[in-house]
Amino acid sequence: MVGVPTAKHTAKQATSLGIPISLLDDHPHIDLAIDGPDEVDPQLNLVKGCGGALLREKMVEFALDKFVVVADENKLVDGLGSSGLAVPVVVVQFCWKYNLKKLEKLFKEEGCKAKLRVNADGKPYLTDNSNYIVDLFFKTPIKDAAAAGKKMSGFEGVVEHGLFLDMASVVIIAGTEGVSMKVK
């Protein structure tokens, strides 16, 4: 077994525990990934990235045979963007405000407020690839997640978004009634 971590801090922790790690460059085909979401909709679409590693997570998850998602029932939503948690969007540092305004305008009907993610010291949060994250907060769910994902990906300076659509193979849900499983 070899792990392909998506965040520098995860790689450091895995190494300290003696878990062999590698890079996607050296292992471009991955059998299985297990991860948690920020949101899961009824079609098993996800919002991920509140931890900041969404670009690397998505790159690894596109190389997978099977993506198993483990969540508690509080992560289940009727529509993406409806939990009150952020939908993150990775943007380049250059002209980040330009993209913040474009993203907010794109989701005007959903009552979106866009904010630059900052650290406790007030400085912009940097991803492991030295990009910024603009967090989108919605009053109503995203109407068409697939169309929204395509539009965001088409913006100059947007590197990646936190909509993980049609990627999960299985979602295991822990709740008050026990554990259940949804399969795509």
Side-chain angles (χ1 to χ4, degrees):
M1 181 183 85
V2 175
V4 179
T6 57
K8 290 179 182 179
H9 70 274
T10 304
K12 185 177 179 180
Q13 184 178 25
T15 301
S16 75
L17 296 170
I19 298 170
I21 62 167
S22 186
L23 300 172
L24 190 57
D25 288 340
D26 299 327
H27 288 86
H29 176 256
I30 301 170
D31 298 319
L32 172 71
I34 302 170
D35 203 355
D38 300 315
E39 292 183 346
V40 180
D41 77 5
Q43 292 76 40
L44 307 186
N45 292 312
L46 314 170
V47 170
K48 290 181 53 53
C50 285
L54 61 145
L55 171 61
R56 292 179 180 206
E57 287 175 349
K58 199 173 275 189
M59 290 174 70
V60 167
E61 287 158 11
F62 270 119
L64 297 174
D65 283 340
K66 192 169 196 173
F67 179 28
V68 176
V69 176
V70 179
D72 68 56
E73 64 188 355
N74 295 325
K75 302 292 183 171
L76 301 177
V77 295
D78 292 329
L80 298 180
S82 63
S83 71
L85 295 174
V87 174
V89 180
V90 178
V91 299
V92 296
Q93 292 184 37
F94 178 75
C95 294
W96 65 267
K97 288 181 188 177
Y98 168 79
N99 275 305
L100 182 144
K101 290 175 185 174
K102 282 183 71 171
L103 290 162
E104 202 168 65
K105 184 176 178 182
L106 174 65
F107 296 110
K108 184 179 179 182
E109 289 183 30
E110 289 94 342
C112 178
K113 294 295 177 197
K115 296 180 182 177
L116 179 68
R117 186 178 293 185
V118 295
N119 295 315
D121 63 5
K123 293 182 181 176
Y125 173 89
L126 288 178
T127 67
D128 285 348
N129 292 63
S130 297
N131 292 306
Y132 287 169
I133 292 181
V134 171
D135 286 321
L136 307 178
F137 298 91
F138 294 89
K139 287 191 177 180
T140 63
I142 298 169
K143 291 182 174 109
D144 183 343
K150 285 181 185 176
K151 285 182 181 177
M152 287 188 287
S153 293
F155 288 175
E156 310 80 18
V158 167
V159 178
E160 193 53 80
H161 56 77
L163 300 178
F164 284 59
L165 309 174
D166 296 317
M167 296 179 78
S169 308
V170 177
V171 177
I172 300 169
I173 305 152
T176 55
E177 302 294 318
V179 177
S180 64
M181 182 168 51
K182 292 184 179 187
V183 180
K184 184 149 253 187

